[in-house]
Amino acid sequence: MKVKESIEQLNSLITHFNNGGLDFNATDIEAIKCLLNKRQKLISYLKEQINQCPLTGNNENDMFYIGKMRAYQKILSKIEKE
């Protein structure tokens, strides 16, 4: 299941739940698993990129990598706070 499909399925599930439905089917569970898996992969990727930030000793290159690392840290912070 693709992320877009998972989001659509979850939106449908939320609407169903808000209308009194309490049952989950296999597609609902698959959508939840898909989004959780994608979120965990994104978090792992961001952490890996932050930890692998190479500092070269060249001030210009280091500034680029530091900026990149800070961008990844900002994204990771927003994801983990929600």
Side-chain angles (χ1 to χ4, degrees):
M1 180 176 284
K2 296 183 180 185
V3 173
K4 183 178 178 182
E5 295 168 333
S6 297
I7 292 169
E8 290 169 357
Q9 183 66 28
L10 286 176
N11 283 331
S12 174
L13 177 62
I14 290 167
T15 300
H16 176 70
F17 183 78
N18 286 336
N19 291 330
L22 299 175
D23 55 328
F24 295 125
N25 62 36
T27 306
D28 299 331
I29 293 169
E30 184 63 28
I32 293 167
K33 285 181 181 179
C34 177
L35 288 177
L36 288 174
N37 185 28
K38 296 292 183 184
R39 180 183 171 109
Q40 187 55 50
K41 283 183 180 181
L42 176 59
I43 289 170
S44 294
Y45 172 79
L46 291 170
K47 286 180 178 180
E48 180 181 308
Q49 292 301 308
I50 291 166
N51 291 331
Q52 292 181 356
C53 181
L55 296 180
T56 62
N58 177 322
N59 192 37
E60 201 170 298
N61 284 345
D62 287 352
M63 293 303 292
F64 168 77
Y65 288 119
I66 290 169
K68 185 176 172 181
M69 183 179 64
R70 286 183 181 155
Y72 287 143
Q73 287 172 329
K74 186 175 181 177
I75 294 167
L76 181 61
S77 174
K78 287 185 178 206
I79 290 171
E80 290 183 327
K81 284 182 183 178
E82 294 179 1

